[in-house]
Each structure stands twice: as C-alpha cells, then as structure tokens.
Amino acid sequence: MAGADQPLATPAAISFQGWCLALALSLGAAVSLGITRFAYGLLLPAMRTDLGWSYTLAGAMNTANALGYLIGALWAPRLLRTRGPGEVLWRGAVLASVFMGLSGFFTDTTTLLAQRLLAGVASALVFVAGGLLAARLGARFPRHNGLLLGIYYGGTGVGIVLSALVVPRLLEVYAAQPHGWQWSWWALALACVAGTAVLAWPARVMSRWALPGAPAGAGGPQQFHWRDFRFGLAGYLFFGVGYIGYMTFVVALLRSQGTSAAAVTVFYALLGAAVIASSRIWAGLLDKHQDGRPLATLNTLLGVAIVLPALTQWWPALLASGMLFGAVFLSVVASTTALVRHNLPPTAWAAGISAFTTVFAAGQIVGPTVVGWIADGPGGLARGLVFSAIALWMGAALAIRQKALKPS
C-alpha cells in the first residue's frame, strides 16, 4: 500500500483518497465560515432584543469579526511559511472553537466585540490554510480540480445547515431564561470541537505532501504580483462588501416581517444545502475559465439573490433568494482560488490566496456596519440590502476585466 505522503497508484484509489480528504478538509470551511462567521446572523435578533442594540451596533459585531479576519489573513502567509498549512489549519480550528465557547459567557459589548475579533483571526487562519490544502489536493487530481475546490468551500454549507437546525431551536427552548441565547454559543462551540477533531486527519496527512511542481513550459508569472490581479482583487473586494450584509441581517429582516422560527430554520437550512450543492453546479465554470469571468458571473447572480427580499415579502421569492444565494456565494470564493491556481505556480499559491483573502476581509469590515447604519434610517433593512446588491454588481463590472495571465 502506498504511503500517505505519496500519490496512490490506481484511478479508483486516487478517487477514494481524494474524496475522503476533500470531505474531511471541507469541515475547515464549516468551522471557519459556516459556524464561526455566519451563525451569528441567527443569534443577532435575540441578542439585539436582549441587549438593546441598534442595527449599527449589531452590524459592528460582524465588522469586528471581519477586522479579525483581515488580521488573520495578513498573518497567515508568515505562519504558513514557518508552520505549514496542516498545523495552521488545525491550531486555528482549536482557537476558533475556544473563542466561540467564550462568547457565551459575556454580555458586555466591548468583551463580545473582542471575542468576535479573535474568532475572526482564527477563522481566517483556518480558511486560508484549508484553501491552500484544497488547491494542492486539486493539483494531485487535476481532472477533478474544480469539484474538489467546490467541496472544500461547500463545506461552509454543512456549518450553515447545522446552525439552522440547532440555533433557532435552542433560542426557543431557553427563551425564558436570562440571556438564553448563550446556550447557542456553547452548542456551536461543541460543533466546532467535533469538526476540529476530524480536521486533524487531513492536516496530518497532507502536511507530509511535497509542494507540487509547476508544469514544464508553463507560461505566466512565477510570483504573485498585486497589479496582475488588480481587477479580480477589486471585484472580490466588492464581493466582501456586498455579500456579508445579507448573511448578517437577512434573518433579522425575516423576523421583523413576522416570519416564524420554524420558517427561519427552513430558509437557513435550504440556503446551507444550496451551498453544499454548489460544488457540483459551478465546477465546470471554474475549470473552463482562467480569467475573471466566473467571478463576474457569480457576483451578478448574487446581487439578484440579495435584492429580492428588498423588493418583495412573498415567501416563495424569499426561499428562492436564499437558495440562489447559497448556490452562488461560496463559489465566488472558490473562483478566486481557481484563478490563482490557473495563473500562478504552486510556490505562489499561498501569497495569491492570502491576498484575495485580505481584500475579502477588508470588504467585510465595511459591509455590516454600513448596512446596519442604513437600516437604522428610513427604509430599514430592505434599503441596506439594495446597497449590498449594488456593491456586488460593481464588483462584477470590475471582475470581468480580469484577464488570464497564462496561455490556455
């Protein structure tokens, strides 16, 4: 039997190892984004009511998380060089679990902001390291590269579905208790611990893999340069600004419209299920194009999904909005990893993925607070979502100008 640090010999064995590693690795995205980042949207209405927050302050919680994410993204390249992606992935997941659990012990605004910031740092380390390992996995099995990347990023949907099944139920059960929302943080922390335990396997196995070499005669730049990806980076910045307002406030919007807890669970679970399915839906698009077309296409569709709740309260349209959003938004993230992998040699992947993660985090810092500030004024949350949709369409207009750097 071949060693875990060497490619397996037969096509069947390669497929089995690839799928198993991809599925286990996808829990990194489940922990870092699906739970650590996005579960807060489910908790926001209860915390806002209990603690007397404005929408601006509620959005600032995710702004703090995004600031931490930016710090983590800037720190990640150095850690990846000194520690390796396997160790960064696993240790980051441990820290994310700890900070999620601690969020259930405090009601002070400053302390909660600090907890969200630290959780953001940890989640960025997990997400960048996991994305790098997913890119290396795709390099081993190039025929399935787009699908393997999609499986990793689609793991976010697992975290979203789990949060949808757990959080609304716990909020209902403990509604009569003082600060009953704290139980949801503790339950989510336990889910992160379980995911971290599974991540130990791909982190250990893939840390022994040699860095894949560039194909003989490959064209294009040999190092990452920001100017080469300026339109893709700009399009991704606006993606960060636009998408996060929806994930932060859509549940609050539904609840303000009188939507029941059970209906919110259905909405959020379907959104998460669509994230999981997105790995298959967009794999061909990510494999076919080496330029900014996938990023532009997905940003455009995402803007449509986000603007729907601002235009109508018709329940089927709201469900369609959530499912379209889920089917698209993590594939935007996967499209930037595919762009880096298509156009740079493996030695430059970490720098490229970290750069895209950095602008993504910068956009997320702006989005929640601006949408919250708009929501506190006339027009409410619906007008805030219109702002988010416009930001995404601006990102699409920029991303379409990103050219491939290597010959097809």
Side-chain angles (χ1 to χ4, degrees), residues 36-104:
T36 306
R37 166 64 57 81
F38 298 136
Y40 169 69
L42 290 164
L43 285 152
L44 184 153
M47 295 180 70
R48 179 173 176 267
T49 300
D50 181 37
L51 302 176
W53 291 348
S54 66
Y55 280 123
T56 303
L57 179 54
M61 288 291 164
N62 255 4
T63 290
N65 188 258
L67 177 60
Y69 198 89
L70 175 61
I71 294 169
L74 294 172
W75 189 22
R78 179 178 178 182
L79 282 180
L80 289 169
R81 286 194 300 270
T82 57
R83 300 289 184 179
E87 183 177 344
V88 172
L89 173 73
W90 190 79
R91 291 184 182 274
V94 170
L95 290 174
S97 304
V98 170
F99 295 135
M100 286 292 286
L102 289 176
S103 296

Side-chain angles (χ1 to χ4, degrees), residues 34-35 38-43 156-171 184 188 247 251 261-273:
I35 299 176
F38 298 136
Y40 169 69
L42 290 164
L43 285 152
T156 303
V158 175
I160 291 173
V161 170
L162 180 63
S163 301
L165 296 176
V166 170
V167 173
R169 177 60 180 159
L170 289 178
L171 290 176
S184 296
L188 293 169
M247 286 303 291
V251 171
V264 167
T265 296
V266 171
F267 173 89
Y268 217 67
L270 287 176
L271 188 157

Side-chain angles (χ1 to χ4, degrees), residues 37-379:
R37 166 64 57 81
F38 298 136
Y40 169 69
L42 290 164
L43 285 152
L44 184 153
M47 295 180 70
R48 179 173 176 267
T49 300
D50 181 37
L51 302 176
W53 291 348
S54 66
Y55 280 123
T56 303
L57 179 54
M61 288 291 164
N62 255 4
T63 290
N65 188 258
L67 177 60
Y69 198 89
L70 175 61
I71 294 169
L74 294 172
W75 189 22
R78 179 178 178 182
L79 282 180
L80 289 169
R81 286 194 300 270
T82 57
R83 300 289 184 179
E87 183 177 344
V88 172
L89 173 73
W90 190 79
R91 291 184 182 274
V94 170
L95 290 174
S97 304
V98 170
F99 295 135
M100 286 292 286
L102 289 176
S103 296
F105 289 99
F106 303 101
T107 59
D108 174 68
T109 298
T110 302
T111 306
L112 286 171
L113 283 168
Q115 290 296 120
R116 293 300 289 159
L117 184 142
L118 292 171
V121 174
S123 66
L125 297 179
V126 174
F127 201 63
V128 173
L132 179 57
L133 290 176
R136 291 186 183 181
L137 185 61
R140 286 212 159 192
F141 312 121
R143 288 182 59 189
H144 304 291
N145 177 58
L147 180 57
L148 290 170
L149 283 177
I151 288 173
Y152 170 69
Y153 292 114
T156 303
V158 175
I160 291 173
V161 170
L162 180 63
S163 301
L165 296 176
V166 170
V167 173
R169 177 60 180 159
L170 289 178
L171 290 176
E172 226 171 22
V173 169
Y174 294 103
Q177 292 191 13
H179 312 312
W181 46 266
Q182 293 174 320
W183 289 94
S184 296
W185 285 111
W186 297 328
L188 293 169
L190 287 175
C192 288
V193 169
T196 300
V198 177
L199 282 171
W201 175 60
R204 183 181 67 253
V205 170
M206 298 180 74
S207 67
R208 299 197 295 265
W209 287 7
L211 189 69
Q222 295 303 300
Q223 298 295 328
F224 173 81
H225 298 290
W226 284 73
R227 63 179 178 276
D228 293 334
F229 291 89
R230 59 190 180 278
F231 290 114
L233 289 163
Y236 201 45
L237 172 71
F238 279 98
F239 164 71
V241 171
Y243 98 96
I244 192 61
Y246 186 91
M247 286 303 291
T248 302
F249 291 111
V250 69
V251 171
L253 176 63
L254 294 177
R255 295 296 280 171
S256 71
Q257 294 172 348
T259 306
S260 67
V264 167
T265 296
V266 171
F267 173 89
Y268 217 67
L270 287 176
L271 188 157
V275 174
I276 298 170
S278 67
S279 61
R280 171 59 69 180
I281 296 170
W282 304 110
L285 180 71
L286 269 55
D287 283 338
K288 180 179 179 181
H289 298 287
Q290 300 185 12
D291 54 15
R293 189 175 308 177
L295 177 57
T297 301
L298 296 170
N299 263 358
T300 301
L301 290 173
L302 204 60
V304 173
I306 286 177
V307 82
L308 280 176
L311 302 178
T312 180
Q313 296 184 26
W314 187 44
W315 183 239
L318 296 177
L319 284 179
S321 164
M323 293 178 69
L324 178 59
F325 184 94
V328 171
F329 89 102
L330 256 297
S331 293
V332 180
V333 183
S335 75
T336 62
T337 302
L339 181 66
V340 167
R341 188 187 174 280
H342 282 314
N343 290 284
L344 291 173
T347 52
W349 288 353
I353 292 171
S354 295
F356 274 95
T357 304
T358 299
V359 299
F360 174 55
Q364 291 179 118
I365 291 171
V366 175
T369 300
V370 171
V371 173
W373 175 73
I374 293 171
D376 282 328

